[in-house]
Amino acid sequence: MMKFRFRRQGADPQREKLKQELFAFHKTVEHGFPNQPSALAFDPELRIMAIGTRSGAVKIYGAPGVEFTGLHRDAATVTQMHFLPGQGRLLTLLDDSSLHLWEVVHHNGCAHLEEALHHQPPSRPGFDGASGLPSLARITVVLLVAAGDLAALGTEGGSVFFLDVPTLTLLEGQTLGPDEVLRSVPDDYRCGKALGPVESLQGHLRDPTKILIGYSRGLLVIWNRAARCADRIFLGNQQLESVCWERSGRTLVSSHSDGSYAVWATDTGDSPTTQPTVATTPYGPFPCKAISKILWRNCASGEHFIVFSGGMPRASYGDRHCVSVLQAETLVTLDFTSRVIDFFTVHSTRPEDEFDEPQALAVLLEEELVVLDLQTPGWPAVPAPYLAPLHSSAITCSAHVANVPAKLWARIVSAGEQQNPQPASGASSWPITGGRNLAQEPTQRGLLLTGHEDGTVRFWDASGVALRPLYKLSTAGLFQTDCEHADSLAQAAEDDWPPFRKVGCFDPYSDDPRLGVQKVALCKYTAQMVVAGTAGQVLVLELSDEPSDQAVGVASVDLLQDREGFTWKGHERLSPRTGPLPWPAGFQPRALVQCLPPAAVTAVTLHAEWGLVAFGTSHGFGLFDYLRRSPVLARCTLHPNDSLAMEGPLSRVKSLKKSLRQSFRRIRKSRVSGKKRLTAASSKLQEANAQLAEQAGPHDVEVTPVQRRIEPRSADDSLSGVVRCLYFADTFLRDAAHHGPTMWAGTNSGSVFAYALEVPAAAANSDRRPERAVEAVLGKEVQLMHRAPVVAVAVLDGRGRPLPEPYEASRDLAQAPDMQGGHAVLIASEEQFKVFTLPKVSAKTKFKLTAHEGCRVRKVALATFASVACEDYAETCLACLTNLGDVHVFSVPGLRPQVHYACIRKEDISGIASCVFTRHGQGFYLISPSEFERFSLSARNITEPLCSLDISWPRDAMRARPQESPKLSQANGTPGVVLGPQSRSGSPDPTRSEGTDTPELPEATLSPTSVDSATSADTTLDTTGDVTVEDVKDFLGSSEESEKNLRNLSEDEARACPILIG
């Protein structure tokens, strides 16, 4: 007989309204460096820069906080981009030869980047007999002429077509074919050879009727569009790569495939010119690689700049990625660690100026953006306020710290400035300064910490739209690595020629994989932190404003506890350096704890008020008193069959046969047992279906969904002893009358260990522990029925609120917890959430997520959600991310589902594993190795771009154009319509873009818990997010309204107007 549970009819409208005021899902901004960049553009008038990617994304950047993103409908590579100067419009060329016109448009007080027009040139094989025009083959180069109203398109067939940019239509009768050019070339140069593709098109700064055309064969032609004739011809014989026309028009420079460049004079000699005035191979005489791009910039001093990429000696340095800067006798070869995509100089582009006077050089690489100050001696690199490569070393973990005190913030910034001292010259400033950031200054500061494969921890300012690097902590200096001797030999063997100079911070190679950072924890009130690594090393550090020389105490903790039958087969521990070591200002190590065996640390937590740090691996967990520098506790969690935990990550291949054998045994067992149960199960199912059909159930009552059966996990599963979470709490464990310090540990096999701690009271007021040591006694041990891995543990006070962080209650920084009512402990496993009363540990309430939704929990955090309607109202809820990429929010302590959203594609396993929640309802996850996607679950705390851009529209900018269907895709590939923030009056709502979390509310006294899932396997099935009908209607409505407003504007108004970018 099937059981029905009846619920209340319908939903509570009051609660539904409150949910709308508390929860809302937004993907707001992408932090970091664009993945796989392919094109670069710069608008010298607006001082904004655009980057295109291989996935079809277009990202525009200005001053810090000024940025917005667009995405082409087709996921094609962006090959070229060109700004229409001063108009806020961008012309893009894709690898399918399609052209797209983007512009900043205004919608109800907010603006965004949208595709206005697109054009797919017709592809005609052979010749068109009707018109006699050559075929329009693949477009190789684009040139904007006549202030951007006209574009010249060079093709692979050697023709040049002309395009009307405002309408993106080809102009008939103006096509320049290769035959027309060959008529002006001497007969002996033709020799029956074709000119080849158009490699370069350059415009004259002062005479827009003249175009410099460079063909692959080496021919250079200055073509007069008005007279339709060639003014001058330069007969080059070397395969052409790039051409640059000097601003006065009297000189042009060409680069070639053999690593040479040539300088041609346009105002002397007869036409055609056969010999250049200067021809040189800078890195000859041996064969060199091609110079793919070259720039010529003149100066008032007479010492012009020549900047080119490539040209390195093929045999010796053919694998280097270089850009060379030459001025008079000074040559610097900038040596990068990733491929050069493109580069530009920031210089004067006004026609009335006689000289370029370059200020900066910006080089876009495959993995980073580097800007050099050309006005300061030595040409130093300019630190980037954004677009920093998050993946300079691969990210291995991340953590977020909200509401950082101003004093700690200033100390971290000061330590970072001492790491990268800036030159005294005031010219060394970021040159991309277009637009204005209209977002209010954040009232609270947020830190994003990222641990990396090379043993570094980077501190990022995550308070606003621009993710700014603050400080870098390196732990490698404490250990002896294997690569130091090889590095010194390589540096000694480096020659003086070419004059290489290492530039950029992208370094994908790690000295030793054991240095990798696995877990990070920071106490923002005492400036103490813990960094745990791959080889079982646990570092306790403290922030110091002055450099120091000191030795670091080392302690070892044996987590096996002399258990027999286990032999570690993994990597060796790292060898620490002995004696006093120099430490710069910043976080300096105070103690090093080495776990034995040296397995990767899977969980860590810090309680600075008690002077304790807890850590866990795949073998067990330990507790360390870093004030007395002595171990307190070591507990082995291994099961007798946990042989896989002893092999380490480098020897997993050895156990492949064993794991396959076990899998086949399980399959065989399930088939045998399934056959035995088949007859009985089928008869029972038929009886239940018959009874269900006979019953006439009520039609107006909600019925709970049928729960999926959860198979109990075997106790002898491999890696069952992995410690997944650790937690400190001051609560009731021994009895209901006395509360005290406790430590909780959850494992992969569904076990939870709770220890009562005896911490001497004097430790809270001094840095020295009294002689009496900290004691730990096992108080409770909980075994979950289905043995699901425990993801998180949190204790709730008498009011059902999470306990505050260390020092928050004692320093009156948060509301003191309720110690009068009964406490409860929330245990979150991969399959369900369950609340137990304390100290009896009896079940109070639960929610079976796997049974209801068919998913598994990957990340969990307690967060405070503030209301947009009432300043003083907030709720603390449980946010969780599942292996399907969905985010669920539950009430605490009732565990009632509130909302759920499709956040990450479930195929994106790395994105799900990298997700981290903040304590005010926001989150981050990696959408690529170099980019964090920021999202918000809160209706109030939203960090998104809000900025203005002063643009000058031409007279025909409001020309009618075909209506385009709205673009529903975001750059990260997740479907959804995301509009700019609006208040009810239609104006921008500045309260929604303050750039960070709100100040503490009475409810916001919690300790966030976010634990990585290190060993769980995800099931990858096909799923996508949903676009609701209401979203599409809202989007179409706003688009129609904006078109109506644009048509009402006067066509002859071309004044500059501020545009808001959301």
Side-chain angles (χ1 to χ4, degrees), residues 707-729:
Q707 295 188 2
R708 297 169 176 83
R709 183 181 178 187
I710 305 174
E711 293 292 340
R713 305 188 185 203
S714 173
D716 61 353
D717 282 348
S718 297
L719 298 175
S720 62
V722 175
V723 177
R724 295 288 296 274
C725 63
L726 293 163
Y727 178 70
F728 285 117

Side-chain angles (χ1 to χ4, degrees), residues 40 240-244 253-261 280-283 288-296 305-314 317-326 331-336 338-345 361-366 500:
L40 178 68
L240 185 71
E241 295 288 333
S242 174
V243 176
C244 180
V253 57
S254 61
S255 65
H256 303 277
S257 61
D258 63 346
S260 66
Y261 69 85
T280 181
T281 305
Y283 297 107
C288 297
K289 300 195 73 173
I291 296 179
S292 56
K293 181 176 180 178
I294 191 166
L295 297 179
W296 176 298
F305 280 89
I306 296 179
V307 185
F308 59 89
S309 60
M312 302 307 298
R314 188 177 297 273
Y317 305 106
D319 58 343
R320 299 287 186 102
H321 310 289
C322 298
V323 171
S324 301
V325 183
L326 174 64
L331 173 64
V332 173
T333 308
L334 306 174
D335 188 12
F336 302 101
S338 58
R339 186 169 59 92
V340 177
I341 304 297
D342 201 356
F343 58 91
F344 65 84
T345 59
L361 169 66
V363 183
L364 176 66
L365 307 163
E366 198 166 33
F500 287 118

Side-chain angles (χ1 to χ4, degrees), residues 948-959:
S948 67
L949 189 67
D950 294 330
I951 58 178
S952 299
W953 294 95
R955 292 181 178 273
D956 59 348
M958 301 304 166
R959 188 182 306 177

